[in-house]
Amino acid sequence: MMKDVLKRVLRCSLLCGIMVLGILAFRTEAVQAATTKYVAADYDYTTVGSAKIKIKYISSSKYRIYFKKGGETYSKTVSGQVSAVTNGTTVYYKKVYSSALYKWNPVKGTNSKVGSVKTGDYGSSLSGGVNKMLYFSYSTPESEYTAAAVDLYRYSLSTKKSSKVKSGAYFEGSYGSRIVVENSRGDVSPVALYLYNNSGKKIKTITSKEFGATVSGKYVYYAKVTATNIYSSSPYTVKFMKCNISTGNVKTICSTKVSVLSVYKVTSKYAIFWKDGSSCYKYTYSTGKLTEYTI
């Protein structure tokens, strides 16, 4: 059937063929542009496409950004604490306590300053991005005393301007043109989880009582609790949920009662809990068992 369709298309005039190919090329380019995603570098490699990136502490005054692609490893040493994001080709980075934003192409070996990001005495760090928008956390002076003073901002690579997305919040991850935003956590109380669009507007509140979330593919997995304070409500019921970032639809995976400190990571098959400040449990949904786990 597909072959017949192609034959009919090929019987059209050359002009029609050129127009069809032009439209297809435009649509492909538009889809690619709409799904450009930047991931943040961590102290272990994070992956985007066929590339990987991480940051390594070298000394009290030096950090190094590592970028892997095509079997090659590239690195850039920066004097001072640094944050970085990449889409698998370009790396944007900044020193935490400097406003200067840099663009580095590891394969081509080019590096240049491209703008200035809001910062201050308490710094700001890049945390992700979608298309021409980079997201970063900006720490206000009060953050010395409360995590709620870490605000989420966005920086437009097109206009070179910063704007606030939400006070007391973090960039948790993205899928397509939507981002997942989590309220910052200052104690053991649950926080809210939201869906935003890349224009900085809230789409919906996923939940008002979440105790750990992870973005993986098109889903955000999270642990939802009924307790308002974990210490005073132990053991408490935890519902493991998943939200489709594209549609906003929410489903329950399973639930259990636990007496643990907080949730470190939630996936489609298991969750990792902090049982104290230094050790963890792994809870497997299919078996309903907690086992010792080392991060």
Side-chain angles (χ1 to χ4, degrees):
M1 181 177 179
M2 182 58 70
K3 289 183 179 179
D4 293 337
V5 172
L6 289 174
K7 287 178 180 178
R8 287 196 293 271
V9 172
L10 290 173
R11 290 192 189 106
C12 295
S13 68
L14 178 61
L15 178 60
C16 289
I18 292 172
M19 289 175 65
V20 169
L21 290 173
I23 291 170
L24 289 173
F26 174 79
R27 289 183 62 189
T28 301
E29 183 178 352
V31 169
Q32 289 175 343
T35 55
T36 300
K37 178 179 181 177
Y38 288 85
V39 300
D42 204 343
Y43 290 101
D44 291 319
Y45 276 111
T46 53
T47 302
V48 55
S50 60
K52 295 182 178 182
I53 189 173
K54 77 172 182 178
I55 292 175
K56 183 178 181 180
Y57 170 80
I58 304 299
S59 67
S60 59
S61 60
K62 288 184 179 180
Y63 286 75
R64 187 168 295 148
I65 304 170
Y66 287 94
F67 181 89
K68 282 187 175 183
K69 189 172 185 179
E72 298 290 335
T73 299
Y74 309 86
S75 66
K76 174 166 287 296
T77 302
V78 181
S79 58
Q81 190 175 352
V82 66
S83 64
V85 297
T86 184
N87 62 354
T89 302
T90 303
V91 177
Y92 287 94
Y93 69 93
K94 68 176 293 296
K95 297 179 184 180
V96 172
Y97 299 103
S98 171
S99 62
L101 177 67
Y102 293 90
K103 179 181 179 180
W104 173 41
N105 187 309
V107 177
K108 292 183 178 180
T110 59
N111 188 74
S112 61
K113 180 182 176 181
V114 294
S116 297
V117 177
K118 181 179 176 66
T119 190
D121 292 340
Y122 289 80
S124 61
S125 299
L126 298 170
S127 50
V130 178
N131 294 342
K132 293 291 185 178
M133 201 68 63
L134 301 183
Y135 290 85
F136 65 96
S137 296
Y138 173 74
S139 302
T140 60
E142 290 79 12
S143 61
E144 183 178 1
Y145 308 102
T146 171
V150 179
D151 301 333
L152 180 62
Y153 278 78
R154 56 206 288 271
Y155 175 83
S156 170
L157 293 169
S158 299
T159 65
K160 311 296 184 184
K161 294 181 179 180
S162 298
S163 58
K164 183 186 285 189
V165 178
K166 192 179 187 307
S167 298
Y170 293 100
F171 176 96
E172 186 63 42
S174 67
Y175 181 77
S177 60
R178 291 186 170 190
I179 67 169
V180 178
V181 176
E182 181 184 49
N183 274 1
S184 53
R185 195 184 311 275
D187 53 25
V188 294
S189 298
V191 297
L193 193 67
Y194 310 93
L195 273 183
Y196 274 70
N197 61 30
N198 202 33
S199 298
K201 302 296 182 182
K202 187 177 81 170
I203 298 171
K204 66 174 292 184
T205 300
I206 299 174
T207 180
S208 60
K209 290 184 177 181
E210 161 267 310
F211 204 46
T214 306
V215 173
S216 179
K218 66 179 179 179
Y219 292 104
V220 53
Y221 297 93
Y222 62 96
K224 181 179 179 181
V225 299
T226 55
T228 55
N229 186 291
I230 304 306
Y231 282 149
S232 62
S233 305
S234 186
Y236 47 88
T237 298
V238 177
K239 287 187 176 182
F240 298 101
M241 316 287 291
K242 68 176 182 178
C243 173
N244 186 311
I245 298 172
S246 295
T247 64
N249 293 335
V250 173
K251 290 185 178 181
T252 301
I253 300 173
C254 70
S255 64
T256 187
K257 280 195 173 182
V258 294
S259 301
V260 293
L261 184 62
S262 66
V263 177
Y264 171 73
K265 183 178 183 180
V266 187
T267 75
S268 60
K269 296 181 179 180
Y270 64 86
I272 306 299
F273 292 95
W274 287 103
K275 64 176 180 179
D276 52 42
S278 59
S279 54
C280 292
Y281 284 125
K282 179 179 179 180
Y283 178 76
T284 304
Y285 308 146
S286 60
T287 62
K289 293 182 179 180
L290 281 172
T291 56
E292 297 286 337
Y293 186 85
T294 302
I295 295 177

